[in-house]
């Protein structure tokens, strides 16, 4: 028995008990039309589950355990009919529950929803607007059961996070869930959940994804990732070749229609076929594109980025985590995106010929710049001069080549410091994050640290301190930069107020930990 079959069996047992409960309520309340509809829907859903025989209403129990019966009577008496507390107080209770960790919040919300009608009206939108924990087939079956019994709940859903098993067995289940949520706008799918589970894409998978897209008329934000062991591209496909899959997708209008409605597209890991199936149909609606990671090949199309810039002229975010063989196409596209592009993150360009001075001045709207590949002092100088309309919040040059290998070390160091001082002062009113080589190797002069005092919104500072640094150069930042928490280790070790820096980091870590407990990142991203 496969993992999916086992999950279906376990979910089926719980759904059978719930079906009994709905039938019991319907038999006890023959004049309650809603109870009859729920019972019929529950029975129909149970009967449709794989491996389960059809049932008749007469199989419903004549009575339930006393605890369940007492609970129903309590709800009928005090809960579903109304409340002894004002709605404002109930709202405060639910607001408090929102601060629980995800698992406790979910359980408590469900309990509150079942307790009486006013709490149900308050909690149901919070339970169903973003059901981000559908990371097992068991949960997916039970969630779909709830939507089939109470179809109005599906109308509340605005965001779905779904695990697509590495075998693809739950593809139709995922499609059914998406179909039951007609107002959904954000769809996150992760294929596989282990680096040990092998996987091959089959024609059935392509059909299931087409069905998912067809069931998503309002989705504008699509994120798809894989969590699977690495395999060469030619070994990832089963009963169809890569070329056959693309031909099939390009002849199926469901892919084109879905792609054209997207504003956000994020693809990670082994997603080559999905990228090539969707990219020709991306439209002017697209504002955010993330592509990664190492396994993605963008050389399948010589002018991929410039063609994309023509299709999607309003792009605001571009994050490319996969390696690029040449910057030429990207550079031309960035110039075309100059008026709109706000975030530019590039991980690796293997042939990083000097293109940055040509491109950066044209990016008028840029606020976040992250270049993790090798850059030069000339590149830094161009970025520091930039465009007068630019106001950077994030500058990450973790691959910057410092002056250490220059023939004239003193001159190169002065050029580095001048560029950084200019950069920091120009963007002092907005700068929040500055990373130069991760603060590990390229030392900066004291003038750079002094200029950081003007950047009062700084939160992260990763620069390596100069040899002649004084503790006051770092200590003063505690006063001038109240939000500054993260310092390079070498920089923090120069401070005479190390405990104060550590306390800031401890409080921030605690806040982040609590936030993640309340709202885990979930599948894929």
């Amino acid at each position: 028995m496969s993992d999916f079959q086992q999950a279906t069996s376990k979910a089926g047992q719980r759904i059978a008990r719930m079906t009994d409960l709905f039938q019991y309520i319907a038999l006890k309340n023959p004049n309650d039309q809603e109870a009859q509809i729920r019972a019929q829907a529950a029975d129909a859903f149970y009967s449709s589950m794989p491996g389960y025989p059809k049932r008749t209403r007469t199989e419903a129990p004549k009575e339930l355990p006393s605890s369940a019966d007492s609970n129903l009577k309590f709800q009928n008496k005090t809960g579903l009919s109304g409340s002894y507390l004002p709605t404002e107080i109930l709202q405060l209770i639910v607001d408090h529950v929102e601060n629980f960790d995800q698992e406790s919040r979910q359980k408590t919300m469900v309990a509150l929803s079942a307790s009486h009608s006013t709490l149900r009206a308050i909690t149901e939108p919070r339970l169903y607007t973003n059901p981000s924990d559908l990371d097992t087939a068991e949960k997916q079956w039970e969630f779909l059961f709830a939507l089939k019994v109470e179809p109005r709940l599906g109308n509340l859903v605005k965001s779905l996070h779904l695990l697509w098993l590495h075998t693809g067995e739950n593809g139709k289940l995922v499609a059914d869930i998406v179909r039951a949520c007609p107002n959904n706008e954000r769809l996150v799918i992760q294929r596989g959940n282990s680096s040990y589970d092998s996987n091959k894409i089959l024609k059935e998978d392509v059909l299931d994804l087409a069905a998912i897209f067809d069931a998503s008329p309002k989705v504008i934000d699509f994120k798809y990732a894989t969590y699977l062991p690495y395999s060469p591209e030619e070994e990832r496909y089963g009963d169809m070749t890569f070329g056959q899959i693309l031909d099939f997708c390009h002849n199926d209008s469901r892919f084109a229609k879905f792609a054209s409605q997207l504003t956000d597209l994020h693809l990670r890991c082994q997603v080559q076929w999905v990228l090539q199936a969707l990219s020709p149909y991306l439209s002017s609606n697209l504002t955010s594109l993330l592509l990664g990671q190492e396994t993605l090949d963008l050389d399948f199309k010589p002018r991929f980025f410039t063609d994309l810039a023509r299709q999607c002229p309003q792009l605001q975010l571009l994050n490319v985590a996969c390696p690029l063989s040449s910057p030429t196409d990207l550079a031309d596209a960035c110039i075309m995106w100059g008026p709109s592009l706000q975030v530019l993150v590039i991980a690796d360009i293997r042939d990083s010929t000097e293109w940055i001075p040509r491109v950066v001045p044209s990016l008028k709207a840029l606020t976040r710049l992250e270049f993790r590949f090798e850059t030069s002092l000339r590149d830094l100088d161009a970025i520091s001069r930039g465009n007068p309309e630019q106001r950077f919040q994030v500058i990450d040059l973790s691959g910057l080549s410092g002056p250490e290998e220059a023939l004239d070390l003193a001159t190169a160091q002065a050029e580095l410091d001048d560029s950084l001082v200019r950069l920091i002062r120009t963007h002092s009113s907005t700068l929040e994050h500055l990373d130069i080589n991760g603060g590990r190797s390229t030392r900066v002069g004291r003038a750079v640290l002094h200029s950081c005092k003007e950047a009062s919104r700084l939160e992260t500072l990763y620069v390596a301190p100069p040899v002649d640094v004084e503790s006051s150069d770092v200590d003063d930042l505690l006063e001038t930069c109240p939000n500054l928490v993260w310092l390079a280790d070498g920089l923090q070790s120069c401070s005479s107020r190390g405990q104060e820096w550590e306390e800031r980091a401890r409080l921030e870590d605690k806040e982040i930990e609590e936030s993640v407990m309340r709202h885990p990142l979930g599948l894929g991203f």
Side-chain angles (χ1 to χ4, degrees):
M1 184 179 286
S2 70
D3 290 345
F4 177 66
Q5 291 169 331
Q6 292 180 35
T8 301
S9 177
K10 291 179 181 178
Q13 293 170 24
R14 286 191 287 272
I15 289 171
R17 292 195 292 270
M18 291 299 297
T19 300
D20 288 342
L21 176 60
F22 282 115
Q23 291 189 352
Y24 174 76
I25 295 171
L27 288 171
K28 288 281 191 178
N29 301 275
N31 297 322
D32 186 336
Q33 187 62 27
E34 288 188 5
Q36 307 306 312
I37 293 173
R38 291 191 194 100
Q40 292 169 11
D43 190 62
F45 184 86
Y46 178 87
S47 300
S48 70
M49 291 187 71
Y52 284 86
K54 292 189 179 298
R55 297 158 50 92
T56 63
R57 291 285 294 277
T58 58
E59 292 177 341
K62 298 296 186 293
E63 60 182 26
L64 292 180
S66 58
S67 60
D69 197 41
S70 298
N71 185 48
L72 285 171
K73 290 177 181 176
F74 172 77
Q75 289 183 11
N76 287 332
K77 179 181 178 182
T78 65
L80 298 176
S81 60
S83 168
Y84 294 116
L85 293 174
T87 301
E88 292 77 7
I89 299 297
L90 298 178
Q91 183 74 58
L92 289 174
I93 292 171
V94 176
D95 288 345
H96 176 68
V97 173
E98 283 280 15
N99 293 319
F100 292 4
D101 65 86
Q102 186 186 36
E103 183 177 356
S104 300
R105 181 175 68 247
Q106 189 86 349
K107 290 180 179 178
T108 307
M109 288 283 190
V110 170
L112 291 172
S113 178
S115 64
H116 72 64
S117 56
T118 306
L119 276 171
R120 182 174 61 189
I122 296 171
T123 57
E124 278 184 348
R126 306 195 192 205
L127 280 168
Y128 287 93
T129 298
N130 180 22
S132 57
D133 62 340
L134 302 176
D135 53 3
T136 68
E138 287 179 63
K139 293 179 181 178
Q140 291 170 4
W141 278 120
E142 292 168 11
F143 182 72
L144 183 58
F145 176 73
L147 301 188
K148 291 297 185 180
V149 172
E150 289 279 9
R152 63 182 177 77
L153 297 176
N155 295 328
L156 299 175
V157 176
K158 296 294 185 182
S159 176
L160 282 171
H161 292 232
L162 295 157
L163 175 68
W164 190 2
L165 297 175
H166 71 282
T167 58
E169 289 176 275
N170 68 329
K172 289 180 175 54
L173 173 59
V174 169
D176 286 343
I177 291 173
V178 174
R179 192 174 293 109
C181 305
N183 296 321
N184 183 45
E185 298 176 353
R186 184 172 185 263
L187 180 60
V188 178
I189 295 178
Q190 177 179 300
R191 178 67 182 254
N193 203 29
S194 168
S195 58
Y196 300 101
D197 294 329
S198 59
N199 161 76
K200 284 187 181 295
I201 300 299
L202 305 175
K203 182 177 182 179
E204 195 69 21
D205 299 321
V206 181
L207 289 170
D208 286 341
L209 191 59
I212 290 168
F213 289 166
D214 191 45
S216 306
K218 294 186 179 180
V219 168
I220 58 174
D221 183 348
F222 179 54
K223 295 176 171 57
Y224 180 79
T226 65
Y227 184 13
L228 299 162
Y230 172 78
S231 60
E233 187 68 32
E234 62 274 9
E235 297 178 11
R236 295 176 191 169
Y237 308 98
D239 54 0
M240 297 177 76
T241 65
F242 180 73
Q244 289 172 332
I245 287 176
L246 290 185
D247 288 342
F248 183 90
C249 295
H250 295 324
N251 288 317
D252 189 326
S253 61
R254 292 175 291 183
F255 286 87
K257 182 177 181 300
F258 180 77
S260 66
Q261 69 196 37
L262 295 178
T263 62
D264 295 70
L265 176 62
H266 293 193
L267 301 174
R268 285 187 184 274
C269 300
Q270 299 178 46
V271 294
Q272 191 74 37
W273 74 277
V274 179
L275 170 65
Q276 291 189 224
L278 296 178
S279 60
Y281 312 108
L282 297 172
S283 72
S284 58
N285 291 323
L286 194 75
T287 59
S288 177
L289 179 65
L290 183 149
L291 300 172
Q293 292 154 308
E294 292 80 1
T295 55
L296 201 59
D297 177 18
L298 299 184
D299 289 335
F300 72 90
K301 192 175 184 182
R303 303 290 288 175
F304 172 78
F305 287 108
T306 48
D307 287 348
L308 191 67
R310 294 187 185 95
Q311 292 172 233
C312 316
Q314 304 303 318
L315 198 70
Q316 297 174 16
L317 182 152
L318 178 64
N319 186 332
V320 182
C322 54
L324 302 176
S325 57
S326 168
T328 305
D329 179 41
L330 173 66
D332 292 342
C334 285
I335 292 173
M336 296 168 69
W337 283 317
S340 64
L341 197 64
Q342 298 173 21
V343 176
L344 180 60
V345 181
I346 307 296
D348 184 13
I349 297 182
R350 289 164 180 164
D351 178 18
S352 55
T353 53
E354 294 188 350
W355 58 279
I356 294 174
R358 180 169 71 93
V359 170
V360 170
S362 66
L363 301 175
K364 300 177 181 179
L366 202 63
T367 61
R368 176 180 167 194
L369 175 67
E370 297 186 35
F371 288 162
R372 296 166 187 162
F373 53 90
E374 184 176 351
T375 51
S376 66
L377 292 179
R378 184 168 181 265
D379 295 330
L380 174 62
D381 181 68
I383 294 169
S384 72
R385 298 180 188 279
N387 186 295
E389 296 182 38
Q390 292 170 342
R391 284 298 176 267
F392 288 138
Q393 296 174 3
V394 175
I395 302 169
D396 185 337
L397 300 176
S398 51
L400 181 67
S401 297
E404 295 83 5
E405 298 180 6
L407 295 176
D408 187 341
L409 178 60
T411 301
Q413 183 66 54
E415 291 176 358
L416 170 69
D417 293 344
D418 287 346
S419 294
L420 284 175
V421 168
R422 184 186 309 111
L423 185 66
I424 293 166
R425 286 180 173 164
T426 300
H427 305 282
S428 61
S429 63
T430 55
L431 190 62
E432 298 173 1
H433 177 103
L434 179 63
D435 184 337
I436 304 298
N437 261 340
R440 292 182 296 272
S441 56
T442 302
R443 293 185 177 274
V444 302
R446 293 181 66 192
V448 174
L449 296 181
H450 294 166
S451 66
C452 287
K453 299 174 187 178
E454 301 175 27
S456 60
R457 298 181 60 177
L458 263 182
E459 298 174 4
T460 305
L461 181 59
Y462 291 150
V463 297
V467 176
D468 60 345
V469 65
E470 295 184 5
S471 60
S472 60
D473 297 334
V474 184
D475 294 343
D476 290 350
L477 296 173
L478 281 165
E479 314 302 334
T480 60
C481 305
N483 300 320
L484 183 57
V485 175
W486 310 115
L487 294 179
D489 291 341
L491 196 60
Q492 185 169 327
S493 65
C494 299
S495 174
S496 63
R497 301 167 66 180
Q499 289 185 339
E500 294 179 61
W501 289 114
E502 291 172 4
E503 179 63 13
R504 277 193 185 185
R506 186 190 68 78
L507 292 174
E508 185 70 13
D509 278 335
K510 182 180 178 181
E511 186 174 330
I512 292 172
E513 182 180 347
E514 291 174 351
S515 176
V516 170
M517 288 180 66
R518 290 193 299 271
H519 305 287
L521 294 176
L523 296 169
F525 294 81

